[in-house]
Amino acid sequence: MQEEFHRNVSVRGSEEFTGIRLREPARYAAGPLGIQVAMQHSFKEMGITRSMRALLHMNQKEGFDCPSCAWPDPEKPSRIGEYCENGAKALADEATTQQINAEFFKKNSVEELSRLTDYELNKFGRLAEPLVLRPGNVHYEPITWKDAYALIAEKLHRLDSPDEAIFYTSGRSSNEAAFLYGMFARAVGTNNMPDCSNMCHESSGVALSETLGIGKGSVKLEDFYGAEVILIAGQNPGTNHPRMLNALEKCKQNGGKIISINPLEESGLVNFRNPKTLKGLTGNGEDIADIHLPVKINQDIPLVKLLLKRLARLDEVTGKVLDRDFIATYTDGYKNLLKDLEQYQEKDLLLRAGVDQAKVDEVVKLLATKSKIIVCWAMGLTQHKNGVENICEYVNLLLAKGAIGKPNTGTCPVRGHSNVQGDRSVGIMHYVNKGLNDRIKKHLGFTPPDKEGVDTVGAIEAMYQGKGKVFICLGGNFLMAASDTEYTAKALQNCNLTVQISTKLNRTHLVTGKTALILPTLGRSEKDMKGGQQRYFTVENSMGRVTRSRGMLKPTSGNLKSEPELIAEMADAYFKGKHTMDWKALGEDYGLIRSYIDKVAKGFENTDERSKGTGYYLPNNVRERNFGSLPKGKAQFTINSLPEHNLGEDEFLLMTIRSHDQFNTTIYGLNDRYRGVYNERRVLFMNPRDMEDWNLKKMDVVDMVSDYDGVKRTANRFLVIPYSIPRTNLAAYFPETNVLVPYNHYADKSKTPISKSIIVKVKKTSP
């Protein structure tokens, strides 16, 4: 048996209700109200002057990259401000003038703090100095940077094997920090480098690598403007990537059509009131989705098979619907695809998808006559057992239409965190890449390990089993981001040392190993000075462009370290100056780091010079229609099975979602105004007819229970809200519902958690 919790901490925090108010869901996104909310949040956290200076520099050519999503900046950023409401919230959250230090933790134990909500924890402000939580203690204490590094070095040196260390990376770090971090892990001797993409877009990477030869999307921002049809599947741009609505608006104004494919009709895809235009401020804005298909949860494959079957039949008659020349020249497996489609009946596929026949007819008519097609997607496709196959099926549609490798077409996995794609590009990966290892040996002078490391699931299992003893976390809130919250908490508590490199307090600082460190770091918006000179770092956006980012605000505290410098000093303390890499010099000179990135990471070249202004794109074989790395040198059609959930009569399929007042696990507020929910997060969206069948009324209190492999997991106390969602489907916010997701059920091949298709039962409980 595993040890009991060595501190009496709450893994979930408070489960009390906070005073819900309900309104009708919004029928538009942004507009004057979006400006108002953004400014209120910014002024409250940063003050007026600091807010305006920072906002006008965010996403500008000589400014800093937004710390929120990875949506790319246009060639000519808006002078009014190149940011959205949620980007402003992310900035205010990071650049708040509130701070907490050792005195705060002297007054507040980890046990007391753990009983607060994640929203309350985040509101305390910026971490201002390095802190240590020693074995048996419940209060963090101050520690010097030197002593913190010495403690990490000591714990690492005591390991029986380097593979007892785990180095986790969130998507907020820079290319320079991620590169150093990955090289430090390898120099220690392990490939245990799980990262946040394991939990989100790993399915995209696997699917795109297998079908097109690269684990990234193929579109550029400008491709949106001239696209004839854009399919947006399993994605909510209005909340998760709001600046995407600008690109969709331009597409509509140029005559393009938008198709939304999602169980929920989201406000941002109904109408967009662009706050930078007169029409958006005073008029009715731009209607975005021409067609909304409310597909049942995880039934995209039968829907796309239905579309393909209909299009192939039309092509047999006209010979003008599919791109036969492209198929013959660039693809392999089309005949097998047609043979697979023959076994399905259209009425059965339609029934599985749960959409209206007339709307499917509209979509088929559009796709039959258009060739400039883009498919966008996010977690609604990736976080299922068949997440990889979901994406492969949409790739089949693009290949059949020849909508790959030419302007205004292609694949667009919309990444969640601002540099999650860059992390992978510069070497954060748990698997072994022989070419990368060879370049490390040649240019960095040491031999990296050739044994595959653990991904996120493997890391949690290793810590739970006592095989992972030191856990270092570069950004993020690992406990609340991961699946199976209770299991993950026990895993972390089994460690001898947990280290959090962070800007703000979160629950992973409270549910820790026997010894814990908090190492506070500079925010994206803060000046990074060394020897009187300001330093910059680089990031890669969701479409593969590398650009500079340079903060401009005075740091919240004088005792913060930049991530690259912190990592370099940690490595220098571990190696005691005896290593082939001059870690101390690298921590001081980011240009030196970039020179090594250019030599070691694939596709980077002359980054110091080329990252100026709008930056440069990394190579992308799909844009050149070069599929030479794939079998027969061609893009691959794939055969994908229909998903099977086999729900019992009393079971539902739950998908976890974000509110409009959060980004990933960071909770900015308690309102989700687009869905009409105010001052509450513990809500369960349910079809009114399902409520009637189960004798549930609006605002009834329920528990949700999942049962996988005989292990029951419960999410307590949620208020039932009637909502327009397909029958037998449910939706609720994460991280509150992550407790229901089994750690050992995940997407085939990618091991991405099944957070968007959890089988649950709903139990009515006392108010």
Side-chain angles (χ1 to χ4, degrees):
M1 289 291 293
Q2 305 301 318
E3 291 183 22
E4 293 298 318
F5 292 172
H6 61 285
R7 296 183 180 94
N8 186 24
V9 292
S10 171
V11 172
R12 308 188 191 193
S14 173
E15 295 179 344
E16 296 300 315
F17 297 128
T18 46
I20 190 169
R21 301 190 306 275
L22 294 178
R23 297 179 186 173
E24 286 298 310
R27 300 300 296 171
Y28 70 90
L33 183 56
I35 297 175
Q36 178 184 332
V37 173
M39 293 303 103
Q40 285 176 341
H41 198 91
S42 299
F43 296 165
K44 181 180 179 181
E45 296 292 336
M46 297 187 288
I48 297 175
T49 303
R50 183 176 171 90
S51 294
M52 297 314 300
R53 285 187 64 230
L55 287 168
L56 292 173
H57 279 80
M58 188 159 69
N59 296 325
Q60 300 296 325
K61 290 181 182 179
E62 295 303 317
F64 59 91
D65 194 59
C66 177
S68 189
C69 81
W71 190 255
D73 304 328
E75 292 279 354
K76 296 180 179 180
S78 168
R79 292 182 179 272
I80 299 174
E82 191 58 50
Y83 58 88
C84 65
E85 176 189 336
N86 276 14
K89 289 177 180 176
L91 170 61
D93 192 73
E94 172 188 279
T96 177
T97 56
Q98 301 294 318
Q99 62 174 269
I100 54 179
N101 53 24
E103 190 63 30
F104 170 87
F105 288 99
K106 185 177 181 180
K107 297 176 182 177
N108 298 278
S109 72
V110 294
E111 295 178 339
E112 293 167 328
L113 291 169
S114 74
R115 286 163 179 75
L116 301 177
T117 64
D118 295 282
Y119 168 66
E120 290 170 322
L121 292 176
N122 184 61
K123 282 300 173 186
F124 284 121
R126 286 287 296 278
L127 295 159
E129 61 182 311
L131 301 158
V132 61
L133 181 64
R134 301 190 186 278
N137 287 358
V138 293
H139 289 270
Y140 275 100
E141 302 168 354
I143 187 173
T144 66
W145 283 102
K146 181 179 178 181
D147 288 345
Y149 297 145
L151 178 58
I152 295 169
E154 177 199 353
K155 295 292 186 183
L156 288 174
H157 282 299
R158 281 189 181 184
L159 298 177
D160 294 329
S161 163
D163 289 325
E164 292 179 335
I166 296 168
F167 295 81
Y168 173 80
T169 317
S170 89
R172 59 142 287 160
S173 60
S174 64
N175 288 339
E176 289 77 2
F179 179 78
L180 285 189
Y181 194 61
M183 295 309 122
F184 177 43
R186 291 179 175 89
V188 169
T190 186
N191 283 312
N192 286 347
M193 285 177 278
D195 74 305
C196 59
S197 62
N198 297 153
M199 295 185 272
C200 54
H201 267 294
E202 196 72 41
S203 295
S204 300
V206 172
L208 294 174
S209 295
E210 290 183 353
T211 57
L212 301 176
I214 187 172
K216 301 181 182 182
S218 63
V219 301
K220 297 180 179 179
L221 179 59
E222 295 73 25
D223 289 323
F224 276 72
Y225 308 155
E228 294 173 315
V229 181
I230 300 177
L231 282 75
I232 302 174
Q235 186 197 355
N236 175 15
T239 286
N240 300 336
H241 316 92
R243 287 192 300 141
M244 180 178 175
L245 297 178
N246 290 286
L248 298 179
E249 180 183 45
K250 288 184 180 180
C251 174
K252 290 298 299 289
Q253 291 170 348
N254 290 332
K257 301 293 183 181
I258 310 294
I259 301 169
S260 166
I261 304 172
N262 197 53
L264 300 176
E265 184 178 45
E266 302 289 12
S267 301
L269 291 176
V270 174
N271 180 275
F272 172 46
R273 297 187 181 178
N274 190 336
K276 294 180 237 178
T277 67
L278 187 62
K279 181 179 179 181
L281 285 174
T282 62
N284 294 323
E286 187 79 40
D287 291 340
I288 298 297
D290 298 275
I291 304 169
H292 171 61
L293 297 177
V295 64
K296 291 182 179 178
I297 290 175
N298 197 28
Q299 294 299 332
D300 289 78
I301 288 179
L303 175 61
V304 179
K305 284 186 184 294
L306 176 58
L307 297 176
L308 281 166
K309 193 173 176 71
R310 294 276 302 277
L311 292 169
R313 192 170 74 239
L314 287 172
D315 189 67
E316 288 179 6
V317 177
T318 66
K320 298 180 180 180
V321 172
L322 303 182
D323 191 332
R324 295 185 177 187
D325 289 341
F326 177 86
I327 292 170
T329 305
Y330 294 104
T331 75
D332 181 47
Y334 180 62
K335 289 183 179 179
N336 289 335
L337 178 75
L338 292 179
K339 186 177 180 180
D340 174 68
L341 292 175
E342 288 175 3
Q343 66 179 299
Y344 301 108
Q345 298 296 316
E346 290 186 17
K347 62 179 182 180
D348 295 334
L349 295 172
L350 186 69
L351 183 64
R352 277 177 173 265
V355 295
D356 183 69
Q357 175 71 63
K359 288 190 175 182
V360 172
D361 293 343
E362 288 183 62
V363 174
V364 170
K365 185 177 180 181
L366 261 182
L367 295 177
T369 57
K370 307 297 182 184
S371 62
K372 296 178 181 179
I373 302 167
I374 292 173
V375 176
C376 306
W377 68 89
M379 306 301 94
L381 292 192
T382 64
Q383 291 182 327
H384 304 278
K385 180 172 174 54
N386 60 321
V388 173
E389 289 187 299
N390 278 336
I391 294 144
C392 287
E393 197 66 36
Y394 276 101
V395 172
N396 283 342
L397 178 61
L398 290 172
L399 292 176
K401 291 293 299 180
I404 287 287
K406 63 181 183 182
N408 314 120
T409 68
T411 56
C412 184
V414 186
R415 307 283 176 170
H417 220 155
S418 58
N419 197 44
V420 62
Q421 188 160 291
D423 288 351
R424 182 61 57 87
S425 294
V426 299
I428 297 295
M429 60 188 74
H430 63 278
Y431 50 84
V432 178
N433 182 308
K434 186 179 183 304
L436 177 65
N437 277 8
D438 289 344
R439 292 190 294 275
I440 290 171
K441 188 173 182 179
K442 177 180 178 181
H443 298 292
L444 302 184
F446 71 92
T447 301
D450 57 7
K451 173 188 173 185
E452 183 170 309
V454 294
D455 58 7
T456 297
V457 171
I460 296 169
E461 289 178 319
M463 291 186 289
Y464 189 90
Q465 295 165 5
K467 298 176 182 177
K469 297 178 180 178
V470 173
F471 179 74
I472 305 177
C473 192
L474 179 59
N477 181 1
F478 184 81
L479 172 61
M480 303 314 290
S483 56
D484 214 336
T485 313
E486 299 281 354
Y487 185 93
T488 301
K490 292 178 182 178
L492 288 167
Q493 290 166 326
N494 284 342
C495 291
N496 293 330
L497 174 68
T498 51
V499 181
Q500 307 295 321
I501 301 169
S502 308
T503 56
K504 301 285 291 291
L505 181 66
N506 63 55
R507 196 165 301 280
T508 314
H509 299 115
L510 310 175
V511 182
T512 70
K514 297 172 182 64
T515 302
L517 284 169
I518 296 176
L519 305 182
T521 185
L522 290 172
R524 185 75 61 87
S525 57
E526 291 173 312
K527 280 186 179 180
D528 183 355
M529 303 294 293
K530 193 70 175 182
Q533 298 294 316
Q534 185 175 0
R535 301 182 288 192
Y536 71 88
F537 56 78
T538 57
V539 294
E540 178 188 350
N541 67 33
S542 191
M543 295 177 185
R545 176 180 270 175
V546 177
T547 56
R548 294 184 177 189
S549 181
R550 193 193 310 263
M552 43 75 63
L553 295 176
K554 180 182 178 181
T556 306
S557 163
N559 204 9
L560 305 179
K561 297 276 188 181
S562 74
E563 287 181 340
E565 189 164 22
L566 189 161
I567 294 162
E569 290 176 352
M570 182 167 55
D572 189 60
Y574 176 82
F575 291 110
K576 298 179 181 178
K578 298 177 182 178
H579 191 255
T580 58
M581 295 177 67
D582 188 344
W583 294 98
K584 189 173 182 181
L586 289 164
E588 295 176 352
D589 184 358
Y590 297 174
L592 183 58
I593 302 174
R594 287 187 284 274
S595 72
Y596 282 127
I597 291 175
D598 288 345
K599 295 173 182 176
V600 173
K602 190 174 181 180
F604 289 82
E605 184 180 356
N606 194 18
T607 299
D608 247 345
E609 182 64 28
R610 297 175 72 199
S611 61
K612 292 179 180 178
T614 57
Y616 72 100
Y617 282 103
L618 295 176
N620 190 304
N621 62 282
V622 180
R623 292 172 185 157
E624 308 300 323
R625 289 190 168 179
N626 175 5
F627 308 108
S629 65
L630 295 170
K632 300 182 182 180
K634 295 187 174 185
Q636 302 292 300
F637 281 100
T638 52
I639 307 303
N640 304 297
S641 303
L642 298 180
E644 297 290 350
H645 295 289
N646 301 316
L647 296 180
E649 289 186 2
D650 59 346
E651 291 179 329
F652 296 85
L653 207 57
L654 169 74
M655 64 176 183
T656 67
I657 59 175
R658 293 181 190 171
S659 81
H660 188 60
D661 248 357
Q662 76 179 96
F663 179 72
N664 293 342
T665 59
T666 303
I667 314 300
Y668 303 133
L670 300 177
N671 298 335
D672 189 355
R673 74 171 187 275
Y674 288 172
R675 299 191 182 102
V677 179
Y678 291 80
N679 202 43
E680 187 57 74
R681 291 186 51 81
R682 306 193 69 80
V683 297
L684 177 63
F685 298 103
M686 193 174 195
N687 185 287
R689 291 173 62 190
D690 286 336
M691 290 174 60
E692 185 178 338
D693 287 349
W694 291 97
N695 195 29
L696 291 171
K697 294 182 175 58
K698 181 178 178 179
M699 309 289 268
D700 274 352
V701 182
V702 298
D703 296 340
M704 286 176 281
V705 181
S706 67
D707 187 345
Y708 287 85
D709 308 317
V711 178
K712 291 187 177 181
R713 299 168 174 86
T714 304
N716 300 313
R717 295 174 54 75
F718 285 76
L719 296 166
V720 178
I721 305 298
Y723 208 78
S724 180
I725 187 172
R727 296 291 304 272
T728 73
N729 288 180
L730 305 171
Y733 303 132
F734 74 85
E736 290 86 349
T737 46
N738 284 2
V739 67
L740 295 165
V741 187
Y743 77 94
N744 55 352
H745 285 253
Y746 38 70
D748 297 331
K749 298 182 182 179
S750 71
K751 296 178 74 174
T752 301
I754 58 166
S755 301
K756 295 294 182 285
S757 54
I758 316 157
I759 298 174
V760 299
K761 294 182 180 180
V762 176
K763 306 288 186 180
K764 190 173 180 179
T765 185
S766 58

